[in-house]
Amino acid sequence: MSAGRSPILELQGITKSFGGVEALRGVDFALLPGEIHGLVGENGAGKSTLMKIIAGVHTEFSGRFLIDGKETHFRSARDAHAAGIAMVHQELSVAPDLTVAENVFLGNQPTNALGLVQWRRMAREAGEQLARFGIDVDPMSRLGDLPIGLQQLIEIARVLFSGARIVILDEPTSALSPPEVERLFTTLRRLREDGTAIVFISHFIEDILLVSDTVTVFRNGRKVAETASAATSKGALIEAMIGRGGEALEHSYTDDLMLPQPSDSTVVLKADQLSLARSLKDVSFEARAGEVLGIYGFMGCGQQELSRILFGKLKPDGGTLVVDGTPKTFASTAAARRAGVALVPESRRDMLFHQEPVYKNISISILDRISSLLLKPTQERDIARRQVEQLQIRPPVVGLDLGMLSGGNQQKVALAKWLTYPPRLLVLCEPTRGMDVGAKNDVINIVRDLRARGLAIIVLSTEPETVLSLADRILVLKRGALVREFKNEPVSKDRLLEAA
Amino acid sequence: MASSETAFAEAHRARGLAPFLRSQMRNIAPFLTLIFLSAFFAFASPSFATLDNLGNILTQVSVTGIIAVGLTFVILCAEIDLSIASIANVTGIAVAYFTLQESYVNIANIPLPGAVAIILSILLCALLGLVNALGLTVIGIPSFIMTLAMMQIAAGISALLVRGQIAYKVPSLITTLGSGSIGGIPWIVIVAAIMLLGGHLVLTYTRFGRYVYMVGGNREAAEYSGLNVKLILGAVMVISAVCSGIGGMLGVAHFGSAQQNEFDTYLLDSIAAVVVGGTSLFGGRGGIGNTIVGLFVLGVLNNGLDHVNIDSFLKILIRGLILLAALIINVYAQRLREKAAE
């Protein structure tokens, strides 16, 4: 497959450490022109560190770095860019207030002799580029008005068409709907024909197997496997990633899963005809004690808005919420919290204090239960220690700044803050997004334990696996409306995707 | 569990002194500035490093200190209050307005018993703070603009009350606290110290204080944690206005008169004290301890420049430059801390 082609990029014996901790140990990595190279590994395995070295973000490391067979050393991301290397980071980095065309041409707008921007030309060319990608939008519309998935596609398109010879995509599909993923893959394959080398990082191993030619597996800062995609399987890759039998840990959810008999326990929350501008239309449902209600839908289907309404962060235009039999209109998130509603949003950044120690992050939502006027730091730390132990948060140091924890452990802290005095209703948005298999399982177990303790839980996710692994009953939300309920019947990934 | 915790903490500490110092830059830099300035003036002028002069400095920073207590709360929440000096002025004028003046003072005022005058004046500044709070939280006007408007409103009320005249009398309690002393220590210094201490205790040991830091550290997260962010923001605006009002009343007694534009320099001085002390303009970091160091830096600078032979017009420029330096450190300290946290 790769015979006769020489690598466009070659790394030999790369070692990189952060403050005495080795993030990469003697890694060799080669990238061929016209190759899609998949990269898998648990969080913290070293994938992103290696990519940041390639993209010139990390400039201090040991080992050899060759481009077209010539030894090179980037001093900045600018150098890497000049060498034809472009990267799409996991977090969206677009300018929402600029037009689509301006975003596509960000940093190199076409100008005339006077240095003035040629708007018409820019709009035309942006439209053409996006059309090649199968994106049909008005190039002069404001980017921030488009759905998130589309924004991400436009950002990817910008990088793909920037003329880079090496393109690195970090988790590009997590915010995309299946048809959008398909469009992305078609484009990637076309670029491969043109000789572009593509690195594709993803937690979705199916995606990796589908689109890449070669897969490299990282574990604990080492490369543990490199194989042709055609010659491996999801199970084998997971096993290489986590270094233990992977089959039991990650269901594929392709087979039917039987949902249990619906519970007839007390109704904790009753939502009736909720609606919100363009996001939600007459959404009605009930959440019961001791039951996990899954709400599945593609990105932009209104899940985010729904979760914010339940927690008093957004006011619905119409409809009512009844909590424990009492109609509620939440004036603030504090009111929702007092009524026994808790929310863990999809973005950890939004609900955690990175510069504060772990124990303050855990105690913030229950301070009024611990102390009336004066703080009781000893008690706060004790409570935090119990949570840290119970949820196996690592490192187990409650005085450490939250920012020092890994993503999966931060997510556990986000859960921990609601668990000392459990709420009546716990709303979880994307509880396992971006987590490695081990952390995912921990979170699943925590949620199951909470269900056993009688909480009503709502899990909203755009990943079918998340909903399938947790929910007792599943609602499908499509363009702001509930279109299907799965209960006491077989359900699978296919059936969910079909309904959405 | 506990042992692994200590072990980790030690391993963490063993990463070295440099990262620790970097993360503490916010607190260290202002302190070094203070030591450097004190040493410089002590060397440059024999009259600077005396006990008498220390008393002078303390007295000189007292009014600023009282105002800065409330402002520290506001800045910790990543908001700003530009109306502090105007509110101080109008409260000082109000307390004189409600006091019987000498016959030669030509103000149509309403003399009331001292206690009533003081209570009404405090209610006035609390009310103005409440207007700030409502504008910020209910209507959603950025604090920068809201308090800019309040600055004018309070100045307008001041102008209407005194109509270009000067009042001299204030209730006797205010006169004592503003210009009297006990055992050689001016009451105004004692009041400032008590208020600074009170502010520190509230910020450090109460639930409300924790909320202030958390709202300033990450407002979005505070809201997602179920805190009533608007209530907390509103409260700090009222606290700021009341502190300003108290500073204004004592200031009037201290200066011996109540008139228009009397406190104009206190706006910049108070903001400078808080920021020079190292409290982050981005919120969530700093505190009254920082404000005290900032007050001393400004106090030593203002006082010291009088002791050395220097063009009095140059003083203004020097103060501006020092403030700029503090702002640079403030921004860099934030960046270094973020780096240290990575």
Side-chain angles (χ1 to χ4, degrees):
Chain A
M1 179 188 66
S2 59
R5 281 181 293 168
S6 56
I8 186 169
L9 171 85
E10 202 171 356
L11 306 176
Q12 294 169 356
I14 299 290
T15 296
K16 162 86 188 163
S17 51
F18 295 100
V21 182
E22 285 195 331
L24 288 174
R25 293 179 243 190
V27 170
D28 297 328
F29 182 80
L31 193 59
L32 302 169
E35 171 189 51
I36 301 179
H37 197 127
L39 232 53
V40 296
E42 295 192 88
N43 293 333
K47 297 167 298 187
S48 297
T49 309
L50 186 69
M51 290 308 114
K52 283 180 179 166
I53 286 176
I54 297 177
V57 177
H58 295 319
T59 53
E60 299 283 321
F61 57 89
S62 59
R64 273 157 57 85
F65 188 115
L66 301 108
I67 287 191
D68 298 323
K70 280 195 292 275
E71 183 134 13
T72 314
H73 190 94
F74 293 147
R75 278 156 303 163
S76 66
R78 216 186 166 78
D79 286 356
H81 198 79
I85 299 173
M87 180 161 177
V88 180
H89 293 273
Q90 197 171 352
E91 313 266 310
L92 205 58
S93 59
V94 293
D97 287 321
L98 298 185
T99 62
V100 170
E102 282 173 291
N103 269 285
V104 170
F105 281 98
L106 210 60
N108 58 342
Q109 293 158 319
T111 51
N112 63 17
L114 288 173
L116 297 177
V117 173
Q118 296 174 300
W119 283 93
R120 224 168 293 157
R121 186 178 145 206
M122 188 164 80
R124 196 185 60 237
E125 289 183 7
E128 284 168 9
Q129 280 197 6
L130 294 175
R132 278 173 62 195
F133 207 0
I135 303 173
D136 179 27
V137 291
D138 175 7
M140 297 313 281
S141 57
R142 185 177 164 272
L143 189 78
D145 292 338
L146 304 175
I148 295 282
L150 203 48
Q151 291 185 34
Q152 188 166 15
L153 270 182
I154 289 170
E155 184 182 0
I156 294 171
R158 172 180 86 207
V159 172
L160 292 183
F161 292 114
S162 65
R165 299 186 302 151
I166 299 174
V167 175
I168 302 166
L169 303 168
D170 193 356
E171 292 285 356
T173 57
S174 54
L176 301 182
S177 64
E180 288 167 339
V181 170
E182 202 35 61
R183 255 187 278 171
L184 172 66
F185 286 176
T186 311
T187 314
L188 292 184
R189 291 189 186 107
R190 203 158 52 214
L191 285 166
R192 173 173 60 186
E193 303 299 307
D194 301 342
T196 309
I198 297 163
V199 180
F200 189 96
I201 303 176
S202 183
H203 282 295
F204 296 97
I205 294 173
E206 289 96 338
D207 287 352
I208 296 257
L209 288 174
L210 197 63
V211 76
S212 62
D213 305 306
T214 315
V215 191
T216 294
V217 184
F218 279 85
R219 184 169 80 227
N220 289 336
R222 291 182 204 279
K223 183 165 107 176
V224 290
E226 178 170 357
T227 140
S229 304
T232 185
S233 68
K234 187 175 173 184
L237 287 178
I238 291 178
E239 203 174 318
M241 264 169 68
I242 60 182
R244 50 193 146 128
E247 293 294 345
L249 285 173
E250 179 98 328
H251 277 288
S252 61
Y253 295 109
T254 43
D255 301 331
D256 280 347
L257 188 85
M258 192 64 195
L259 291 175
Q261 189 80 30
S263 140
D264 54 0
S265 54
T266 21
V267 175
V268 172
L269 171 94
K270 189 169 162 22
D272 194 30
Q273 307 259 306
L274 292 178
S275 61
L276 179 75
R278 282 160 41 189
S279 308
L280 292 172
K281 285 188 290 277
D282 297 336
V283 172
S284 305
F285 61 90
E286 290 175 349
R288 290 171 182 275
E291 182 195 54
V292 179
L293 174 65
I295 299 183
Y296 170 76
F298 295 146
M299 201 71 172
C301 69
Q303 286 178 341
Q304 256 190 29
E305 291 79 1
L306 179 59
S307 66
R308 303 309 191 263
I309 288 174
L310 297 180
F311 193 54
K313 184 92 161 56
L314 275 180
K315 276 196 188 60
D317 297 333
T320 51
L321 282 177
V322 179
V323 180
D324 280 327
T326 325
K328 298 275 182 189
T329 40
F330 296 135
S332 67
T333 57
R337 178 171 65 85
R338 277 194 298 273
V341 181
L343 169 72
V344 179
E346 59 289 320
S347 159
R348 294 182 284 267
R349 193 166 283 279
D350 284 347
M351 82 165 304
L352 295 172
F353 303 86
H354 287 249
Q355 296 197 359
E356 299 287 351
V358 170
Y359 81 91
K360 288 190 188 176
N361 272 284
I362 291 178
S363 67
I364 183 70
S365 301
I366 50 164
L367 273 183
D368 48 359
R369 310 279 288 258
I370 304 175
S371 64
S372 52
L373 176 68
L374 295 182
L375 293 170
K376 294 178 183 148
T378 325
Q379 206 173 333
E380 276 181 59
R381 281 168 180 271
D382 284 346
I383 285 173
R385 255 183 226 118
R386 267 204 303 280
Q387 294 297 344
V388 160
E389 195 170 4
Q390 214 156 38
L391 305 188
Q392 301 188 5
I393 294 168
R394 292 286 170 271
V397 187
V398 297
L400 198 64
D401 278 1
L402 182 96
M404 314 276 289
L405 268 54
S406 73
N409 282 301
Q410 290 186 13
Q411 178 75 346
K412 287 187 194 170
V413 173
L415 271 168
K417 60 199 283 188
W418 296 118
L419 300 188
T420 308
Y421 296 101
R424 298 281 296 147
L425 170 71
L426 178 62
V427 182
L428 302 171
C429 298
E430 304 290 359
T432 57
R433 180 194 280 171
M435 297 177 101
D436 60 58
V437 179
K440 239 180 209 176
N441 261 323
D442 288 347
V443 169
I444 290 174
N445 288 331
I446 293 166
V447 172
R448 290 199 175 135
D449 177 50
L450 291 172
R451 175 181 62 185
R453 285 159 70 183
L455 269 70
I457 299 166
I458 299 179
V459 171
L460 302 106
S461 180
T462 54
E463 295 168 13
E465 289 88 349
T466 308
V467 177
L468 288 167
S469 62
L470 286 166
D472 300 314
R473 192 156 59 90
I474 299 173
L475 300 172
V476 178
L477 193 60
K478 184 177 185 180
R479 298 211 176 86
L482 290 175
V483 292
R484 175 88 159 82
E485 177 173 14
F486 289 94
K487 60 177 177 190
N488 191 23
E489 65 186 295
V491 64
S492 66
K493 203 169 160 176
D494 294 358
R495 286 174 204 253
L496 273 186
L497 286 171
E498 214 172 291
Chain B
M1 174 84 194
S3 70
S4 75
E5 189 169 323
T6 355
F8 187 90
E10 264 159 27
H12 191 62
R13 217 169 291 136
R15 282 195 346 179
L17 197 59
F20 173 77
L21 287 180
R22 265 206 297 281
S23 68
Q24 291 298 314
M25 167 92 162
R26 159 176 324 289
N27 301 320
I28 296 166
F31 203 68
L32 289 181
T33 312
L34 177 61
I35 291 173
F36 170 77
L37 283 176
S38 306
F40 172 77
F41 287 120
F43 182 73
S45 157
S47 57
F48 176 79
T50 60
L51 209 55
D52 269 359
N53 196 42
L54 177 66
N56 288 338
I57 294 174
L58 287 175
T59 313
Q60 284 160 4
V61 298
S62 287
V63 174
T64 316
I66 293 168
I67 297 174
V69 172
L71 187 65
T72 306
F73 281 72
V74 174
I75 292 184
L76 278 175
C77 282
E79 296 290 346
I80 191 72
D81 188 348
L82 299 179
S83 61
I84 41 176
S86 284
I87 289 180
N89 202 1
V90 75
T91 315
I93 285 174
V95 83
Y97 185 81
F98 293 129
T99 307
L100 185 63
Q101 300 292 328
E102 302 288 349
S103 56
Y104 56 83
V105 174
N106 189 19
I107 299 176
N109 68 336
I110 307 166
L112 294 168
V116 180
I118 295 171
I119 290 168
L120 281 179
S121 304
I122 289 187
L123 282 179
L124 172 68
C125 62
L127 180 73
L128 295 179
L130 194 63
V131 173
N132 274 339
L134 293 177
L136 172 66
T137 60
V138 176
I139 305 174
I141 308 171
S143 59
F144 181 83
I145 304 296
M146 181 61 225
T147 57
L148 198 63
M150 180 53 68
M151 182 170 140
Q152 283 297 306
I153 291 167
I157 299 172
S158 301
L160 283 172
L161 288 181
V162 289
R163 296 186 168 272
Q165 304 294 311
I166 301 175
Y168 299 95
K169 281 267 190 196
V170 291
S172 60
L173 173 66
I174 299 294
T175 312
T176 310
L177 292 182
S179 55
S181 59
I182 179 168
I185 303 170
W187 269 112
I188 197 165
V189 174
I190 296 172
V191 172
I194 289 172
M195 288 190 60
L196 285 163
L197 179 68
H200 175 72
L201 295 178
V202 168
L203 281 175
T204 318
Y205 296 106
T206 69
R207 190 152 62 88
F208 174 71
R210 172 73 62 77
Y211 288 162
V212 167
Y213 277 102
M214 295 309 239
V215 166
N218 186 346
R219 186 167 301 178
E220 194 75 358
E223 206 165 330
Y224 278 116
S225 301
L227 302 194
N228 198 334
V229 172
K230 288 182 173 179
L231 190 68
I232 294 156
L233 290 178
V236 300
M237 296 315 286
V238 174
I239 289 173
S240 174
V242 170
C243 288
S244 301
I246 294 171
M249 289 194 288
L250 297 198
V252 161
H254 188 65
F255 306 138
S257 69
Q259 55 188 303
Q260 188 74 30
N261 297 339
E262 195 171 16
F263 287 83
D264 286 2
T265 58
Y266 283 83
L267 171 59
L268 189 63
D269 273 8
S270 306
I271 294 176
V274 175
V275 176
V276 166
T279 293
S280 170
L281 285 166
F282 307 101
R285 294 277 140 198
I288 296 290
N290 294 76
T291 299
I292 293 174
V293 175
L295 282 168
F296 275 109
V297 170
L298 284 189
V300 164
L301 187 66
N302 285 339
N303 177 285
L305 288 174
D306 289 337
H307 283 262
V308 296
N309 218 350
I310 199 164
D311 182 350
S312 66
F313 297 104
L314 189 60
K315 264 176 77 172
I316 302 170
L317 178 61
I318 291 176
R319 280 162 33 121
L321 291 175
I322 295 269
L323 183 59
L324 176 63
L327 288 172
I328 292 170
I329 291 170
N330 198 301
V331 171
Y332 270 96
Q334 181 77 13
R335 232 173 267 167
L336 283 174
R337 201 192 142 77
E338 275 162 11
K339 258 201 188 140
E342 260 173 25

